Amino acid sequence: MIDPGKLFQLQGGQKRRKLALTFGVLERDIAGIAEKDCTYDFPSMTRAEYTGKLAELVLADPALPPDAADELRALVQAEPFDELRVCNCARNHLLAIIGTFPAEWDLVIAPHASPIDENGIVRSREFYTGMCVYAEDIRSPFNIGSIFRTAEAMGAEKVYLSPFCVDPGQTRAVRSSMGCIETMGFERKKLDELPADTPVFALETGGTPLEEFEFPEKGICIIGSEELGVSPQALSRASYGRVTIPMKGLKASLNVGVAFGILMQKWVESVRKSAPLKHE
């Protein structure tokens, strides 16, 4: 981190870039995920005071649009002072001025529970036995990470991946999964390798509306890529049926991760009274 007094001496673009980087470091420190050598260490002022001084530098920037200035000023003057929101607001307005917008890998992710407790023991996870998803040829790391995150949050037991799904260990997948790839069981399988005695259904257009679909207590839901949807081969394998999310609008289109989240909520609603959660 850099002393605010030194930042006053910088000019234009250099000052903005340094400020944006400093706000990013501060966000990580506030969230408790900063690297050891990047924590706040100015004894002459509190971190909140430091954050406020940096925000004042941004407010003094003549390139800051009036509405952005109003938003940031309101946060600076608010009680209690929310360091994290001030940092995030200031950094994103600076990036907009610079012309660099945050990509998914730039996001400062809040801390989440580790699968390992303080004694080095793996924490138990609750799930509905036999509730599984088969991701068919999902190429986007962001989407596969989102699918893992939703599956873990909603209590799915396992994620199956088709042979051509993106690697869940890919950096962006790991980041968007919020650590859930560490805790969810998953296997790569071809369609004909899925358990023969388990109901298989597909999330795809042209099927039974979500509100009318009779979800199995145990089963595998196939979800396909955004470009092509579920393949004809997978639809043939989905002998239990096809479920569809009714939509309105001209596009009538959902991101695959969002669609999977909607489906999982309805599936869990239908089974949670009769299917007790299991710990592993």
Side-chain angles (χ1 to χ4, degrees):
M1 296 183 195
I2 187 169
D3 189 296
K6 293 182 179 179
L7 281 168
F8 273 114
Q9 301 169 20
L10 300 177
Q11 299 297 319
Q14 185 183 18
K15 177 186 283 189
R16 293 178 187 126
R17 287 190 294 273
K18 287 284 188 181
L19 275 169
L21 288 170
T22 302
F23 278 121
V25 174
L26 273 173
E27 281 188 75
R28 286 174 169 77
D29 188 44
I30 295 164
I33 56 174
E35 295 80 1
K36 289 183 179 179
D37 57 346
C38 293
T39 55
Y40 182 76
D41 61 355
F42 289 120
S44 61
M45 67 184 87
T46 66
R47 188 180 62 196
E49 291 171 336
Y50 179 79
T51 300
K53 286 184 178 293
L54 295 188
E56 291 297 338
L57 293 179
V58 179
L59 286 168
D61 192 321
L64 186 68
D67 56 344
D70 290 343
E71 181 188 24
L72 181 56
R73 188 175 293 108
L75 286 172
V76 169
Q77 295 172 352
E79 293 291 344
F81 184 78
D82 191 329
E83 295 176 74
L84 189 59
R85 288 190 180 278
V86 169
C87 284
N88 187 265
C89 176
R91 182 169 71 96
N92 283 309
H93 286 319
L94 281 169
L95 292 176
I97 294 170
I98 295 168
T100 303
F101 294 91
E104 64 191 52
W105 56 89
D106 293 326
L107 299 180
V108 179
I109 302 299
H112 50 275
S114 168
I116 309 297
D117 68 16
E118 62 276 8
N119 299 314
I121 299 173
V122 178
R123 301 179 192 271
S124 64
R125 183 176 73 84
E126 291 186 328
F127 61 87
Y128 293 98
T129 303
M131 182 179 284
C132 304
V133 57
Y134 183 83
E136 184 187 37
D137 298 349
I138 305 293
R139 312 287 185 169
S140 162
F142 176 82
N143 283 340
I144 204 69
S146 175
I147 288 164
F148 269 86
R149 184 176 177 182
T150 297
E152 203 276 342
M154 300 305 295
E157 179 176 0
K158 183 178 290 186
V159 175
Y160 291 109
L161 303 176
S162 73
F164 298 112
C165 260
V166 66
D167 180 5
Q170 206 267 5
T171 303
R172 296 183 198 177
V174 171
R175 192 157 179 78
S176 67
S177 79
M178 286 287 283
C180 293
I181 290 170
E182 305 169 41
T183 60
M184 279 295 303
F186 71 92
E187 296 179 39
R188 281 198 185 273
K189 284 188 180 292
K190 298 177 181 178
L191 281 167
D192 58 10
E193 294 174 336
L194 292 175
D197 58 348
T198 302
V200 177
F201 62 98
L203 175 60
E204 185 57 283
T205 57
T208 303
L210 189 67
E211 295 291 340
E212 302 172 17
F213 190 75
E214 294 290 335
F215 285 96
E217 187 172 295
K218 299 179 181 181
I220 300 171
C221 176
I222 300 176
I223 54 176
S225 70
E226 291 192 39
E227 298 88 350
L228 301 173
V230 177
S231 71
Q233 295 81 6
L235 288 174
S236 295
R237 179 66 181 83
S239 57
Y240 187 83
R242 183 189 308 194
V243 59
T244 298
I245 300 172
M247 289 180 279
K248 305 297 182 184
L250 295 176
K251 293 292 186 181
S253 174
L254 288 172
N255 169 273
V256 63
V258 172
F260 176 57
I262 293 170
L263 175 131
M264 282 299 295
Q265 174 62 30
K266 296 304 292 184
W267 193 358
V268 168
E269 280 182 10
S270 75
V271 304
R272 63 185 171 192
K273 292 182 180 179
S274 59
L277 283 166
K278 179 180 178 181
H279 292 261
E280 75 169 7

